[in-house]
């Protein structure tokens, strides 16, 4: 398979609706210190009776941005008791699923992570959890819209063998989900075969 | 033969080291992976490895004709499939 040139340049913006722009500005600009960098004030138009709206952006580093839509006079669609203002679930939805979709922002050091911890802990949105995962350490809270929000740092750089391992994992996963036994056991069995086939002669790419 | 693969990253090396203390277990390499093999079931004590849970529960990269029969906070046990 020919290599496709990898020319994309990261996140331009991620966009979320908000029904509480005052708290959203307080959280992202006043507590976290993310500069407001762009906004659009637009009259509603088009075929769908679109409400008038404000689209506003915060810088999240590297020139990347998080953006919000506030729609005048628009009430959130009804849903269950769990989740955020965009997606609501009934009580029986497991939390691992509810929190699975989230935004994680990056910092370079433990000191930087703790600086954001300090800012959040002095606010209405204190850190709910600080956790070391496999190779990252993260702090978590929910923003004023209920969006699960993470700031993370790498405990060490990711190494080339881990990129190989990730590729073997996704190749095994794609095969296994198309087969009769969709399970971790089936994935680890297929991955072992791929390790023998492809890892023995593997050498890190010259950078 | 029980056989599992573990990627050679710093988080996994204590697990491989604990396994290697068992005289029934042999450890060799396939590229950047450790291959941990034994003619008998492989049992690794988590506390002896000092691994935190996130590392412990993501440490297995592959299983060759083997299956995991225990993988909890106490130990990992792998037997022939």
């Amino acid at each position: 398979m020919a290599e496709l040139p990898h020319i994309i340049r990261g996140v331009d913006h991620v966009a979320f609706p908000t029904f509480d722009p005052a708290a959203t500005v307080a959280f992202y600009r006043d507590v976290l210190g993310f500069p407001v960098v762009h906004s659009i004030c637009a009259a509603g138009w088009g075929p769908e009776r679109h409400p008038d709206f404000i689209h506003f952006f915060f810088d999240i580093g590297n020139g990347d941005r998080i953006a919000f839509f506030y729609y005048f006079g628009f009430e959130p669609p009804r849903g269950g008791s769990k989740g955020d203002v965009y997606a609501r679930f009934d009580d029986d939805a497991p939390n691992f699923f509810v929190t699975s979709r989230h935004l994680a922002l990056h910092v370079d050091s433990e000191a930087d992570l703790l600086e954001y911890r300090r800012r959040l802990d002095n606010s209405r949105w204190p850190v709910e959890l600080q956790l070391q995962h496999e190779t990252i350490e993260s702090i978590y809270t929910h923003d004023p819209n209920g969006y699960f929000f993470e700031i993370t740092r790498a405990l060490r750089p990711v190494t080339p063998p881990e990129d190989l391992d990730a590729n073997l994992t996704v190749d095994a996963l794609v095969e296994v989900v198309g087969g009769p036994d969709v399970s971790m056991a089936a994935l680890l069995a297929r991955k072992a075969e791929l390790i023998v086939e492809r890892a023995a002669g593997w050498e890190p790419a010259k950078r | 033969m029980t056989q599992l693969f573990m990627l050679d990253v710093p988080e996994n090396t204590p697990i491989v080291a604990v396994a290697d203390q068992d005289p029934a277990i042999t450890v060799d390499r396939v590229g950047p992976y450790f291959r941990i093999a034994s003619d008998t079931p492989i049992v690794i004590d988590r506390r002896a490895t000092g691994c935190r849970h996130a590392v412990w529960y993501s440490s297995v990269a592959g299983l060759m004709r083997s299956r995991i029969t225990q993988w909890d906070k106490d130990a990992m046990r792998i037997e022939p499939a």
Side-chain angles (χ1 to χ4, degrees), chain A residues 133-134 156 165 188-189 191 199, chain B residues 11 31 33 52 54 58 61-63:
Chain A
H133 299 274
E134 293 83 358
R156 61 167 175 80
D165 187 65
L188 291 176
K191 227 183 122 182
Chain B
E11 294 76 17
Y33 293 88
R52 60 181 183 274
S58 61
L63 292 168

Side-chain angles (χ1 to χ4, degrees), chain A residues 106-110 135-138 152-158:
Chain A
H106 182 77
V107 291
D108 284 336
S109 68
E110 181 176 27
T135 60
I136 62 173
E137 181 177 27
S138 300
T152 191
R153 71 177 180 105
L155 295 169
R156 61 167 175 80
V158 174

Side-chain angles (χ1 to χ4, degrees), chain A residues 132-136 155-156 159 161-162 164-165 168 184-185 188-193 195-196 199-200 202, chain B residues 3 5 7-11 30-33 35 52 54-55 57-58 60-66 68 71:
Chain A
Q132 283 194 3
H133 299 274
E134 293 83 358
T135 60
I136 62 173
L155 295 169
R156 61 167 175 80
T159 61
E162 290 168 288
L164 168 71
D165 187 65
L168 300 187
M184 184 71 146
L188 291 176
R190 181 61 187 134
K191 227 183 122 182
E193 295 171 352
I195 288 169
V196 171
W202 175 84
Chain B
Q3 212 177 90
F5 293 96
L7 190 64
D8 180 5
V9 290
E11 294 76 17
V30 177
Y33 293 88
R35 176 166 49 196
R52 60 181 183 274
V55 170
Y57 289 112
S58 61
V60 176
L63 292 168
M64 186 65 83
R65 294 181 292 280
S66 305
I68 296 175
W71 195 357

Side-chain angles (χ1 to χ4, degrees), chain B residues 30-62:
Chain B
V30 177
Y33 293 88
F34 294 108
R35 176 166 49 196
I36 303 170
S38 175
D39 290 325
T40 57
I42 292 170
V43 180
I44 303 172
D45 182 301
R46 184 187 67 85
R47 288 179 186 84
T49 69
C51 281
R52 60 181 183 274
H53 288 173
V55 170
W56 177 245
Y57 289 112
S58 61
S59 58
V60 176

Side-chain angles (χ1 to χ4, degrees), chain A residues 164-187:
Chain A
L164 168 71
D165 187 65
N167 279 277
L168 300 187
T169 295
V170 298
D171 286 352
L173 177 63
V174 168
E175 284 188 41
V176 163
V177 296
D181 177 15
V182 182
S183 68
M184 184 71 146
L187 180 131

Side-chain angles (χ1 to χ4, degrees), chain A residues 31 112-123 127 139:
Chain A
V31 172
D112 292 350
L113 188 73
L114 295 177
E115 169 60 21
Y116 284 107
R117 169 155 202 152
R118 188 187 63 76
R119 295 181 193 182
L120 289 166
D121 282 346
N122 288 332
S123 79
V127 168
I139 55 175

